[in-house]
Amino acid sequence: MPGTTDGRGFSLTPGEQALVSVPSMGSPLSVLPDDAFENLLVLSATASPEKVESLVERRGGDPEKVGVVPVTGSPTEYDGPLWTTDPVDPSDLTGISIRLSKAMQYVMPGGWVVVDNVNVLLMYGREEKVFRLFDSVVSNAREKDACGAYCTVRDAVTDETYSRLRGFCDREISVE
């Protein structure tokens, strides 16, 4: 059974994967430890690359050390210091998987992989396919010896769904 941690400012050891319960409003990136911004890949379904860049800068991080896979139904263009992939529709789990696989080459041991809102994937994709994608992302982060933080709004998923997601991770953390 994965361990549970409450509170803000959590940390993970390299290779550790956590299901992180977050409030429905606000950025999960605001609760990451400072060292996460040294090598960070974000699958972002809630913030544009511009917003991620702004948050990274507010936290004192270097945007050039942060990558974003933008998950959005709207076309977006970004020309800034973050490294980004082309945007991908939230219903295109295959496209998300491909972009994440390519972006993982930039994640170093001890780096961080963050999915800022698993709920969005569950809204647009079939649950079983989302679980397969989730398993793949967690496994790839573990293989890279990277920390993984997979954020979900706990009240917006069923107990069964949450339990299955939790089963992929080493521990659960609540920052609500």
Side-chain angles (χ1 to χ4, degrees), residues 46-61:
T46 62
S48 67
E50 291 86 3
K51 287 182 181 178
V52 172
E53 177 186 345
S54 176
L55 190 135
V56 169
E57 288 174 340
R58 278 195 312 263
R59 291 287 312 272

Side-chain angles (χ1 to χ4, degrees), residues 53 63 78-84:
E53 177 186 345
Y78 171 76
D79 186 26
L82 299 171
W83 49 273
T84 65

Side-chain angles (χ1 to χ4, degrees), residues 97-161:
S97 179
I98 291 168
R99 283 169 180 79
L100 277 171
S101 292
K102 288 180 180 178
M104 285 296 289
Q105 70 182 318
Y106 299 104
V107 177
M108 302 298 181
W112 282 71
V113 175
V114 174
V115 176
D116 73 356
N117 195 323
V118 176
N119 300 61
V120 171
L121 302 177
L122 289 165
M123 274 192 323
Y124 288 94
R126 287 195 13 238
E127 196 170 73
E128 285 305 315
K129 287 187 174 193
V130 173
F131 289 139
R132 281 197 298 272
L133 173 65
F134 192 79
D135 182 34
S136 173
V137 174
V138 169
S139 296
N140 286 334
R142 217 178 243 125
E143 282 177 25
K144 286 281 217 171
D145 208 23
C147 302
Y150 311 99
C151 304
T152 184
V153 178
R154 174 63 186 97
D155 293 339
V157 295
T158 66
D159 290 345
E160 179 183 336
T161 298

